[in-house]
Amino acid sequence: MASNDSELDPRHPGTAVAPVIGVTTYLERAQTGVWDVPASFLPKVYLDAVTDAGGIAVLLPPQPVSREIARSVVATLDGLIVSGGADVDPARYGQQPHPRTGAPRTDRDAWEDALLAEAIAVELPFLGICRGAQVLNVALGGTLVQHLPDVVGSEKYQPAPAVFGEGDVTVEPGSRLEAVLGPGSRALPVHFYHHQALDEVADGLTVTARSEDGVIEAVELDSVPFGLAVQWHPEENAADRRLFAGLVDAARTHRMRRSRS
């Protein structure tokens, strides 16, 4: 699809500006040189996935947020990725913490909840990854399994610290996820790293992929043009950028539609 003038890069006439994709981050203590300070942190594989797919990645660290702030941030973006990370506070879905549930990260929960709410309101394309799928489900009224080994009887989805599990997911035919991945994607090899999972699925979400033992591995929001969330870690597969390419394509379309309104 041809770009209109408002989308052209003034430094390179005739070249479309790449879509800007915001990626939520951790706020963690980090050491570099003589410094030991809280810092915005995100594994580079997320940034590589966005840029490989033709987008521009910008970091969105947790910070004080209101509806107005979230609206201002989302207005600067063409797409959003809610990245993986710490467990969602179980108080957000009406449960007491399991002994294996991590300490609450309320700053990140509030930040990502607000960004997602505004993204949905303006139909900004978004992709949730691992924690991002859980945040989406909880934000819309769903619940989580707090410790998946209690249900499946093994640690295969998170075999050891910093070790990804590997397995296949089955993608629902006719889903938006299948459309993004393309033909031959109904049995998809993926990287797992989660000890929690979606339990009660929120209204408005459709389950579009499951693992072999029935664990929900992808959902999509029916009310928006592009709202996908996967429980696995697609950023870990440098040979397969289809999900990120789908997001970047949707972000480009969103920007064109916005520039014409």
Side-chain angles (χ1 to χ4, degrees):
M1 183 178 294
S3 300
N4 63 22
D5 291 343
S6 65
E7 294 180 294
L8 298 182
D9 186 340
R11 300 163 301 175
H12 304 284
T15 301
V17 177
V20 175
I21 309 297
V23 189
T24 63
T25 80
Y26 308 81
L27 194 58
E28 299 288 357
R29 197 149 199 95
Q31 293 181 326
T32 178
V34 300
W35 303 105
D36 182 356
V37 295
S40 178
F41 172 79
L42 188 73
K44 183 173 177 287
V45 287
Y46 284 96
L47 310 183
D48 291 341
V50 172
T51 57
D52 287 351
I56 299 169
V58 296
L59 301 186
L60 302 174
Q63 55 197 280
V65 68
S66 65
R67 183 176 180 183
E68 291 73 23
I69 290 171
R71 182 180 298 121
S72 295
V73 171
V74 165
T76 70
L77 303 175
D78 301 313
L80 174 68
I81 293 174
V82 182
S83 65
D87 296 338
V88 177
D89 184 357
R92 285 186 167 264
Y93 48 97
Q95 295 183 12
Q96 293 297 313
H98 186 282
R100 294 289 297 275
T101 296
R105 303 297 296 271
T106 56
D107 60 342
R108 189 169 177 191
D109 289 344
W111 175 240
E112 292 178 340
D113 185 88
L115 291 179
L116 265 176
E118 187 58 28
I120 291 168
V122 301
E123 298 187 349
L124 182 78
F126 67 86
L127 172 64
I129 295 176
C130 198
R131 168 189 161 90
Q134 297 166 4
V135 170
L136 174 65
N137 191 50
V138 170
L140 296 178
T143 65
L144 304 179
V145 175
Q146 289 194 51
H147 192 54
L148 196 51
D150 292 348
V151 176
V152 300
S154 78
E155 305 274 353
K156 67 180 182 179
Y157 292 96
Q158 195 178 78
V163 175
F164 287 88
E166 297 185 7
D168 291 343
V169 299
T170 300
V171 177
E172 285 295 320
S175 64
R176 188 175 298 133
L177 177 61
E178 185 191 42
V180 169
L181 294 172
S185 59
R186 293 186 184 177
L188 184 70
V190 300
H191 292 79
F192 299 119
Y193 195 78
H194 59 94
H195 84 106
Q196 300 193 332
L198 276 62
D199 188 10
E200 181 181 347
V201 177
D203 290 343
L205 293 179
T206 298
V207 176
T208 54
R210 293 181 184 267
S211 63
E212 62 181 2
D213 49 15
V215 173
I216 295 169
E217 289 291 337
V219 291
E220 54 192 49
L221 183 60
D222 304 324
S223 63
V224 297
F226 191 100
L228 300 181
V230 300
Q231 185 69 83
W232 70 86
H233 282 271
E235 77 282 0
E236 291 295 324
N237 188 351
D240 184 355
R241 298 304 199 201
R242 287 175 292 176
L243 278 175
F244 298 96
L247 174 65
V248 168
D249 286 346
R252 188 176 289 111
T253 299
H254 175 79
R255 185 176 62 195
M256 292 175 65
R257 184 173 63 245
R258 184 175 58 194
S259 68
R260 292 169 180 165
S261 62

